[in-house]
């Protein structure tokens, strides 16, 4: 007879409806190892995919989870609203939270485990003393208007990547991947540098932006837009598609015209529209204004409509392949 006590929480019932909810790193390690060990044997390693989120899940997140589901034996989704990446405390307080709705979406997307820690589990000593710096990559664009945002993001992503990594005690080799949305292109570039600079044993997978039928990039913040604001915000993706079409046709991008298009919408206040290198985020001085476009690039845009800050971006030319 097996007298071993089951681990706490949902984790005791492996046959229970997925995703199984765990609240602590110890529960996650125990459950993750058990599910990996139970995955059907193949010639290659078992595969674990992590999808970090702040909850308030929508079809964009669902797409991330589906991508992870297609490539992994075990899919872990973390749901944690990270105080450290909010420069405005009021924005942190009003950030939407609904774990039951999130679990329902994750069930249909096929996640195995949802890791929803309380704050002390992630920051046991309060705000962490030892911090990572996103350097020059984190100072520009979103970092310029949200000081500390990317360092705060790194604090939690570095920790989550570490907590969710397959235990060295797992008796089978495991390939570890983490999934991030192209929607947050600057975040993606910084996370890639984190993994390269600190030799994290994880493969970073980028997932394309999911948009509404009209073109608006899905975001948990879109629910704060009035119908008029949501309609006005479509001008951002229109500007991006205009530039993508020109890049694909090897025409000059004529950025000023895209800026004018956004400027023509009175409800939208443009912060920046810039064509950059996708890895370094350095502006491409040439190749974007009057000369024919060649190669690859990333165009970043941010704007405010009412109280809501919106970001969007598009990979151009070869970078979009
Ligand atoms: P968040 O919960 O906003 O921190 O986002 C969690 C992850 O989902 C990040 O990697 C985001 O880039 C990604 N994500 C958010 N919105 C979208 C979207 N519209 N399309 C694709 N990925 C997204």
């Amino acid at each position: 007879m097996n007298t071993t006590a089951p681990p706490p929480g949902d984790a005791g019932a492996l046959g229970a409806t997925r995703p199984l909810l765990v609240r602590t790193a110890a529960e996650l390690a125990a459950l993750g190892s058990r599910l990996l060990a139970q995955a059907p044997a193949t010639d290659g390693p078992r595969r674990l995919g992590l999808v970090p989120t702040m909850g308030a899940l929508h079809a964009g997140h669902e797409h991330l989870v589906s991508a992870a589901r297609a490539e992994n034996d075990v899919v872990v989704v973390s749901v944690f609203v990270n105080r450290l990446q909010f420069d405005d405390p009021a924005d942190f307080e009003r950030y939407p939270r609904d774990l039951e709705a999130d679990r329902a979406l994750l069930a249909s997307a096929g996640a195995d485990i949802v890791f929803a820690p309380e704050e002390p589990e992630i920051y046991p000593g309060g705000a962490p003393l030892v911090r990572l710096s996103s350097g020059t990559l984190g100072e520009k664009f979103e970092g310029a208007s949200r000081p500390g945002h990317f360092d705060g993001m790194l604090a939690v992503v570095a920790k989550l990547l570490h907590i969710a990594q397959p235990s060295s005690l797992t008796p089978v080799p495991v390939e570890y991947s983490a999934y991030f949305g192209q929607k947050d292109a600057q975040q993606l570039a910084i996370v890639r540098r984190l993994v390269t600079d600190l030799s994290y044993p994880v493969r970073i997978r980028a997932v394309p932006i999911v948009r509404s039928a009209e073109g608006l990039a899905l975001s948990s913040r879109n629910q704060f837009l009035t119908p008029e604001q949501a309609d006005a915000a479509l001008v951002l993706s229109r500007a991006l598609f205009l530039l993508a079409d020109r890049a694909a046709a090897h025409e000059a991008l004529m950025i000023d015209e895209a800026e004018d298009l956004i400027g023509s919408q009175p409800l939208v206040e443009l912060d920046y529209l810039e064509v950059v290198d996708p890895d370094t985020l350095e502006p491409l001085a040439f190749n974007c204004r009057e000369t024919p476009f060649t190669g690859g690039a990333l165009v970043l845009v941010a704007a405010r409509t009412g109280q809501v800050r919106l970001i969007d971006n598009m990979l151009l030319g070869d970078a979009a392949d």
Side-chain angles (χ1 to χ4, degrees):
M1 195 174 87
N2 183 357
T3 54
T4 313
D10 286 0
L14 292 187
T17 312
R18 304 220 176 153
L20 301 159
L21 173 66
V22 294
R23 294 286 190 179
T24 69
E27 286 174 13
L28 177 60
L31 182 58
S33 300
R34 287 171 72 191
L35 294 187
L36 281 167
Q38 285 176 4
T42 60
D43 290 343
R46 311 282 163 92
R47 295 161 306 167
L48 175 75
L50 170 69
V51 184
T53 81
M54 295 206 301
L57 302 180
H58 51 63
H61 300 105
E62 195 172 359
H63 204 66
L64 238 58
V65 178
S66 301
R69 178 73 281 161
E71 296 180 352
N72 293 279
D73 299 302
V74 176
V75 174
V76 177
V77 178
S78 61
V79 173
F80 179 68
V81 185
N82 176 36
R83 184 191 297 274
L84 295 188
Q85 71 192 66
F86 288 80
D87 49 306
D88 175 2
D91 194 21
F92 171 74
E93 293 303 335
R94 72 163 178 247
Y95 199 83
R97 295 161 171 87
D98 187 347
L99 187 58
E100 279 320 302
D102 291 345
R103 283 181 82 174
L105 180 139
L106 292 176
S108 69
D112 296 304
I113 303 175
V114 56
F115 174 49
E118 300 291 347
E119 211 166 60
E121 181 69 15
I122 297 296
Y123 301 125
L129 203 58
V130 176
R131 298 284 295 269
L132 292 164
S133 164
S134 53
T136 52
L137 264 186
E139 285 165 8
K140 47 192 156 193
F141 301 118
E142 284 312 282
S145 55
R146 303 176 66 190
H149 167 69
F150 288 113
D151 292 355
M153 177 279 291
L154 278 179
V156 79
V157 169
K159 187 131 189 172
L160 290 169
L161 289 175
H162 187 69
I163 287 175
Q165 74 180 307
S167 158
S168 53
L169 300 177
T170 305
V172 289
V174 182
E175 187 177 274
Y176 180 32
S177 306
Y179 293 76
F180 290 84
Q182 179 63 41
K183 162 78 168 41
D184 297 283
Q186 190 170 5
Q187 168 173 285
L188 178 62
I190 292 170
V191 168
R192 283 189 162 131
R193 282 303 299 250
L194 162 76
V195 165
T196 303
D197 291 351
L198 299 186
S199 299
Y200 267 50
V202 60
R203 197 169 58 135
I204 300 300
R205 309 282 286 146
V207 178
I209 299 176
V210 178
R211 300 176 178 281
S212 70
E214 295 79 26
L216 184 64
L218 298 190
S219 163
S220 309
R221 292 195 162 88
N222 290 355
Q223 59 187 272
F224 298 127
L225 297 172
T226 65
E228 294 75 32
Q229 289 169 336
D231 199 47
L234 294 177
V235 78
L236 300 178
S237 54
R238 275 195 211 115
L240 295 178
F241 280 114
L242 173 72
L243 296 173
D245 287 347
R246 287 181 178 162
H250 301 293
E251 294 170 4
L253 296 183
M254 304 293 205
I255 301 260
D256 298 355
E257 288 180 20
E259 274 172 2
D260 290 346
L261 179 63
I262 297 170
S264 69
Q265 177 46 260
L267 293 181
V268 175
E269 192 187 329
L270 180 63
D271 181 354
Y272 58 78
L273 176 73
E274 192 88 55
V275 180
V276 299
D277 177 286
D279 298 319
T280 65
L281 306 186
E282 286 296 320
L284 296 187
F286 60 96
N287 206 6
C288 61
R289 298 202 179 260
E290 274 99 40
T291 51
F293 183 89
T294 56
L298 169 71
V299 55
L300 297 169
V301 66
R304 197 167 262 283
T305 164
Q307 293 294 304
V308 186
R309 184 179 172 80
L310 297 173
I311 58 170
D312 199 349
N313 69 84
M314 202 162 283
L315 291 162
L316 304 182
D318 298 348
D321 297 340

